[in-house]
Amino acid sequence: MLTIAVLLLFFTGIAHSYLGERYILMRLFKRDNLPQLFGGTRFTTGTLRFVWHLLTLVWWGIAAIVLLASGKPVETRTVLQVFSIVAMVSGLFPLYFTRGRHLSWIVFFAVGALLWFGYPR
């Protein structure tokens, strides 16, 4: 059952990103009344795009934890490392989609580092 849950989370993530990009975001971005933040709509579309795909990444992080927990206890350190990786990759999204103008990347990288190095060795 856990394997099925992991597969559902993984494929839901793929469907969410692909179908959302194709049928929601692209149609939304063709509108001429998007907010023009920082002088244009590029920041707005980039922010919406990275937040949309961030959900997929979080689902995949949950899937990784469930997969690791299948049949055995998971160490706290392992859970923190998985969430650290999710946070670090999350930080890449605003860097790429908004060219770093959305400053959430700073928080994501800080959280990722704190989770990775914060657990006592």
Side-chain angles (χ1 to χ4, degrees):
M1 284 190 261
L2 295 179
T3 303
I4 293 170
V6 167
L7 290 172
L8 287 173
L9 284 168
F10 180 75
F11 288 117
T12 298
I14 290 173
H16 179 264
S17 281
Y18 175 75
L19 296 174
E21 185 73 39
R22 183 165 181 187
Y23 294 108
I24 296 174
L25 295 177
M26 293 305 293
R27 291 178 182 180
L28 178 65
F29 298 158
K30 288 180 182 177
R31 299 177 60 114
D32 60 359
N33 62 345
L34 289 175
Q36 295 187 10
L37 304 172
F38 296 110
T41 59
R42 185 176 194 137
F43 178 80
T44 304
T45 59
T47 299
L48 291 171
R49 185 167 272 135
F50 96 73
V51 171
W52 185 274
H53 294 296
L54 198 63
L55 182 57
T56 294
L57 179 63
V58 171
W59 284 340
W60 288 352
I62 294 168
I65 295 296
V66 172
L67 185 63
L68 291 169
S70 298
K72 61 181 177 183
V74 179
E75 292 183 24
T76 302
R77 182 177 185 176
T78 302
V79 173
L80 294 176
Q81 287 175 334
V82 168
F83 287 136
S84 171
I85 292 166
V86 168
M88 296 297 265
V89 175
S90 296
L92 296 175
F93 284 25
L95 279 177
Y96 177 76
F97 288 116
T98 71
R99 296 184 176 175
R101 293 176 82 185
H102 193 287
L103 299 179
S104 62
W105 63 269
I106 297 168
V107 176
F108 287 130
F109 287 156
V111 168
L114 291 167
L115 291 175
W116 191 269
F117 297 112
Y119 188 74
R121 305 224 184 270

